[in-house]
Amino acid sequence: MDIVDIFSYAWGGIKLRKLRAALTTLGIIIGIAAIVALLSLGEGFRIVITSQFERGFALDVLTVTAGRGLLASIIAGSGSEEYLTLNDTYIIDEIAGVKQATATLSKSIGVSLGTKTYTVTVVGINFTEYSTIYSTSFVLQNSSVPLNPSNDSIILGYRLYDPWKNGTILVRVGDYINLTWTTGSIAKPIVKRYTFHVVGVLKEIGGISIFGPSDIQAYIPITTAQEIFETDQVSQIQVQLVNSEQTTIDSVTDSIKNIYGDKVTVISPSAMLNTFSSILSTVQLLLAGLAGISLLVAGIGIMNIMIVSVIERTREIGILKSLGMKNKTVMTIFLCEAALIGLVGAAIGIVFGLGLSNFVTTFIFPLIGGGTNQTNAQGNRVVSNITPVLTPTVCLGAFFFGIATSVLFALYPAWRASKLKPVEALRYE
Amino acid sequence: MAPVVQTINLQKTYMLGKVPVNALRGVNLEVESGDFMAIVGPSGSGKSTLLNLIGALDRPTEGKVIIDGVDVSTLNDDQLAELRRRIGFVFQFFNLIPRLTASENVELPLAIAGINKRQRKEKTVELLKAVGLSERANHNPTELSGGEQQRVAIARALANDPRFLLLDEPTGNIDSKTADMLISLLKKLNEERGVTIIMITHDPNIAKQAKHIVRILDGKIIEETNNMNGGS
Ligand SMILES: Nc1ncnc2c1ncn2[C@@H]1O[C@H](COP(=O)(O)OP(=O)(O)OP(=O)(O)O)[C@@H](O)[C@H]1O
Ligand SMILES: [Mg+2]
């Protein structure tokens, strides 16, 4: 019996019990839909995250922080004993492959915008160096960055100027705003107030920024920052390289490590992105694994139904054998029935999964969070920008798993069918 | 001429729990090509058991079945399956596949034997015509009378030009008038096409129409008669 005949015979078997086949298929549909939805959402999420990070990043800029470890470096100014000062920028400047280095010092402090005071990350920078390193993102709306700013100059990120992006402007260029810095102990706080002159507002950058300019930060001269925060430390040193090639990144990283040993951590944007990607992949895999459990349940359903079906069709199997059908052909027929169920289930499941993920992104995600405060706004932007992405790998994988699960769980029932003794099968009532 | 089927000291013992049931106790039988043999005997005498062994549907406990000179006991499952393609079975309860039409049922053994689609169609049309059911080709078994179903079963059994036809009480479930028609058909096939027929029956009137009658009792052949007016 050739494979076309086997398939058409198997198809006849499925058609015989339409409702049952539909219910069995439903199991596969749900499993595959869950996997596809989760993976395509995950992929969409990864793309948004990556692109958002990329917008804030300059690929040719390394970030040097005191102490070790990624986490310690993200939390700026974490309680590390080692620290960097402005002097270190001059040391790093001398390294071959470095175009220029600039230091930043950032703290979260109160900033009065309009009638309210918000907690904002204020970054002390060298206006000239910073704006050349981040020449594409650190750009003012209507003017250029002042190269010799007065000590009370402040530049605002776009979202501090127009937080809801609806034209509700909190503060304008030329305004004076108050910064409140609280030191001392919790029991005995010392509140200091400074007045700053808004000299510019950044163009919208978009994205999430860990290093580099961001829409939700404010920028003041680093010397002023060190005075206010009463420190000679800097949080980070941004090192612009002559190019963004991996060899340059590696050699500069090595040189910095040679000078400072383990006292500093050097982070390259590409390494950062890779880390994020791999974390996201792991999470995605985990989610897919969870969805896989539903596929497992579907598989057990198929096995169950198949066993019943083999028992019901014992006589039919006896007839086929009396007509000279070989054991392996009997087995193939049942496996083909399962494969067809898997194929149809996977196809519908993929469509449903995509539909589900699109439904979630269009109707559910916009409901998450109101987006009134600054940090929320960033998260919301990420969530609302997600478009589900179905990669060919996921698509093929879904087909593969749909069919493989069905066939795998049909193996035992099919084997039982093939082993039936013709005489006994024919006697079966 | 060598017999188409030969059994030597054929024995079959079923185990009913721990009790052995000797369904066949040493049957020696020879069937020549072109024969029309009726097997008769009381219920439980072992007729079906014998037929199943001759048809390679089951393996004997003792003794041999030799089909076309080949000892069936030496064959593996696949070889047995291939052998069955050269044997036509007709059962008391028709055993058609309900979801297939008459012509699809007839076509099935041809598909199993790997005959190509075009030849299958031609052969199916020819067979249905031979059993007088051309008009019923696209009907499902449930839409056919018992006699018609049994004729479809005969057409199906003939599909692969078998060496012999085995019929287990083919008239057991149809009225006597239809049964007569069926027997006429079998006689015609036997005479005109030279199809070898081995048929179990309870009906003495039907047995009379065969060329030979083999009588079985308690798993043994007790009598073999040559029917002088058989085939006339
Ligand atoms: N699978 C089986 N397991 C146990 N005993 C069986 C089995 N098949 C047949 N027998 C027994 O073997 C004996 C012969 O059975 P068989 O079916 O060959 O009789 P039969 O001559 O065809 O009878 P009938 O005319 O009623 O069809 C009977 O006693 C029957 O009970
Ligand atoms: Mg019987």
Side-chain angles (χ1 to χ4, degrees):
Chain A
M1 211 170 176
D2 67 30
I3 196 71
V4 178
D5 288 326
I6 290 177
F7 263 106
S8 71
Y9 192 86
W11 183 241
I14 292 174
K15 277 200 310 198
L16 186 65
R17 300 243 178 274
K18 288 194 188 71
L19 180 65
R20 180 188 292 180
L23 289 174
T24 319
T25 314
L26 191 63
I28 295 288
I29 293 176
I30 292 171
I32 292 293
I35 290 179
V36 166
L38 284 170
L39 285 184
S40 60
L41 277 179
E43 187 61 25
F45 186 64
R46 181 221 293 276
I47 287 172
V48 170
I49 288 279
T50 325
S51 74
Q52 297 263 326
F53 276 123
E54 272 167 353
R55 275 195 260 178
F57 272 158
L59 283 170
D60 60 349
V61 179
L62 298 182
T63 300
V64 182
T65 61
R68 52 185 102 174
L70 182 67
L71 263 183
S73 61
I74 290 175
I75 306 158
S78 64
S80 160
E81 285 166 30
E82 316 295 342
Y83 60 86
L84 296 165
T85 66
L86 277 175
N87 270 339
D88 292 307
T89 57
Y90 309 128
I91 298 171
I92 292 171
D93 262 335
E94 297 306 311
I95 295 171
V98 173
K99 203 165 168 189
Q100 73 172 314
T102 189
T104 60
L105 170 60
S106 46
K107 298 263 188 230
S108 282
I109 73 172
V111 175
S112 67
L113 298 167
T115 51
K116 280 190 189 160
T117 298
Y118 299 87
T119 302
V120 170
T121 304
V122 170
V123 189
I125 58 167
N126 178 315
F127 278 33
T128 318
E129 290 169 1
Y130 201 76
S131 62
T132 43
I133 289 182
Y134 296 107
S135 57
T136 50
S137 50
F138 200 74
V139 181
L140 297 190
Q141 285 196 337
N142 297 314
S143 53
S144 50
V145 178
L147 301 183
N148 292 306
S150 57
N151 286 342
D152 66 347
S153 302
I154 188 163
I155 290 174
L156 301 179
Y158 182 81
R159 303 285 282 196
L160 303 180
Y161 158 79
D162 181 13
W164 302 281
K165 289 217 269 183
N166 59 2
T168 315
I169 311 295
L170 294 180
V171 63
R172 286 171 201 286
V173 177
D175 285 355
Y176 287 86
I177 60 174
N178 286 324
L179 269 58
T180 338
W181 172 237
T182 313
T183 52
S185 64
I186 294 173
K188 249 186 150 184
I190 307 160
V191 180
K192 294 180 179 171
R193 217 173 288 275
Y194 304 90
T195 303
F196 277 82
H197 181 212
V198 179
V199 296
V201 172
L202 291 180
K203 282 189 183 163
E204 188 177 11
I205 300 164
I208 290 174
S209 170
I210 289 184
F211 308 119
S214 146
D215 288 335
I216 56 162
Q217 292 176 343
Y219 301 88
I220 59 176
I222 189 160
T223 43
T224 315
Q226 287 186 328
E227 261 172 53
I228 295 177
F229 303 134
E230 292 160 9
T231 178
D232 64 338
Q233 296 185 25
V234 300
S235 314
Q236 298 170 350
I237 293 176
Q238 318 292 344
V239 184
Q240 187 178 32
L241 309 177
V242 288
N243 58 44
S244 60
E245 272 158 37
Q246 194 59 41
T247 48
T248 318
I249 293 174
D250 291 343
S251 82
V252 173
T253 306
D254 285 347
S255 305
I256 296 175
K257 283 280 176 195
N258 279 340
I259 299 168
Y260 293 97
D262 276 343
K263 291 176 191 165
V264 299
T265 304
V266 182
I267 300 152
S268 72
S270 49
M272 201 66 200
L273 280 178
N274 287 344
T275 311
F276 266 108
S277 275
S278 72
I279 291 173
L280 282 172
S281 300
T282 313
V283 171
Q284 246 174 304
L285 218 64
L286 200 80
L287 290 176
L290 286 177
I293 293 175
S294 59
L295 210 54
L296 192 75
V297 174
I300 293 168
I302 286 183
M303 179 139 97
N304 190 12
I305 296 290
M306 276 285 185
I307 289 174
V308 172
S309 169
V310 166
I311 292 170
E312 278 183 2
R313 288 160 68 183
T314 300
R315 204 185 177 88
E316 177 185 333
I317 295 162
I319 296 168
L320 292 175
K321 288 197 164 185
S322 78
L323 295 176
M325 186 177 279
K326 291 180 182 175
N327 293 357
K328 60 169 180 277
T329 314
V330 173
M331 185 151 170
T332 315
I333 285 176
F334 282 91
L335 292 182
C336 281
E337 284 189 22
L340 284 170
I341 284 176
L343 182 79
V344 173
I348 301 175
I350 289 171
V351 174
F352 269 38
L354 260 187
L356 184 71
S357 53
N358 276 299
F359 176 82
V360 168
T361 49
T362 13
F363 297 106
I364 310 291
F365 281 174
L367 302 179
I368 300 171
T372 40
N373 77 40
Q374 299 297 325
T375 27
N376 243 357
Q378 250 188 6
N380 287 345
R381 196 136 32 103
V382 170
V383 167
S384 60
N385 276 348
I386 294 176
T387 344
V389 175
L390 181 67
T391 62
T393 323
V394 171
C395 195
L396 287 178
F399 269 114
F400 173 79
F401 274 106
I403 296 170
T405 312
S406 313
V407 171
L408 197 72
F409 282 91
L411 274 176
Y412 171 69
W415 176 81
R416 254 179 65 159
S418 77
K419 286 293 164 200
L420 285 173
K421 293 222 166 67
V423 183
E424 283 161 30
L426 282 166
R427 287 166 65 99
Y428 188 85
E429 294 298 322
Chain B
M1 201 170 90
V4 195
V5 187
Q6 191 184 4
T7 71
I8 301 165
N9 186 30
L10 199 61
Q11 297 182 31
K12 180 76 185 180
T13 307
Y14 294 108
M15 292 305 287
L16 261 179
K18 281 189 178 150
V19 188
V21 179
N22 295 313
L24 290 182
R25 321 159 180 245
V27 171
N28 294 295
L29 185 71
E30 281 188 17
V31 185
E32 300 291 337
S33 179
D35 201 351
F36 186 164
M37 176 185 285
I39 299 175
V40 298
S43 183
S45 55
K47 306 182 294 294
S48 296
T49 305
L50 176 62
L51 208 71
N52 290 338
L53 288 172
I54 292 175
L57 282 179
D58 206 356
R59 291 176 187 273
T61 316
E62 201 73 48
K64 277 180 184 162
V65 176
I66 294 164
I67 296 172
D68 276 335
V70 176
D71 181 356
V72 173
S73 65
T74 62
L75 304 180
N76 64 26
D77 278 2
D78 277 358
Q79 289 168 322
L80 283 181
E82 269 165 24
L83 175 63
R84 279 180 220 125
R85 293 175 192 171
R86 296 191 282 124
I87 301 171
F89 269 102
V90 177
F91 305 91
Q92 181 177 353
F93 297 102
F94 323 131
N95 276 346
L96 298 175
I97 293 180
R99 75 179 135 91
L100 302 182
T101 63
S103 81
E104 284 167 346
N105 265 291
V106 176
E107 199 186 325
L108 189 56
L110 292 162
I112 290 173
I115 311 292
N116 75 47
K117 198 97 187 163
R118 201 177 50 80
Q119 280 179 295
R120 258 148 59 181
K121 293 289 176 211
E122 277 173 16
K123 188 86 194 210
T124 306
V125 169
E126 186 215 316
L127 286 164
L128 282 172
K129 199 171 154 200
V131 297
L133 279 177
S134 299
E135 269 86 78
R136 295 278 185 273
N138 295 318
H139 288 248
N140 275 91
T142 45
E143 299 160 353
L144 300 175
S145 73
E148 285 169 333
Q149 287 188 57
Q150 201 56 300
R151 279 188 282 162
V152 174
I154 289 171
R156 181 179 68 181
L158 289 170
N160 281 319
D161 297 321
R163 296 291 284 130
F164 49 90
L165 268 189
L166 300 174
L167 304 97
D168 195 342
E169 295 184 42
T171 56
N173 271 320
I174 49 186
D175 63 70
S176 60
K177 198 165 154 254
T178 323
D180 284 342
M181 273 169 59
L182 206 77
I183 297 307
S184 314
L185 172 67
L186 289 174
K187 278 167 82 173
K188 203 172 120 193
L189 288 168
N190 177 250
E191 278 156 23
E192 291 175 10
R193 298 187 176 207
V195 179
T196 310
I197 295 174
I198 306 167
M199 176 180 69
I200 296 173
T201 182
H202 274 299
D203 187 335
N205 289 328
I206 288 175
K208 262 195 292 191
Q209 312 205 37
K211 290 179 183 166
H212 283 101
I213 300 175
V214 171
R215 192 170 297 278
I216 291 191
L217 185 68
D218 287 339
K220 276 191 169 148
I221 295 177
I222 52 161
E223 186 185 30
E224 280 199 60
T225 348
N226 257 343
N227 219 335
M228 277 344 216
N229 50 3
S232 61

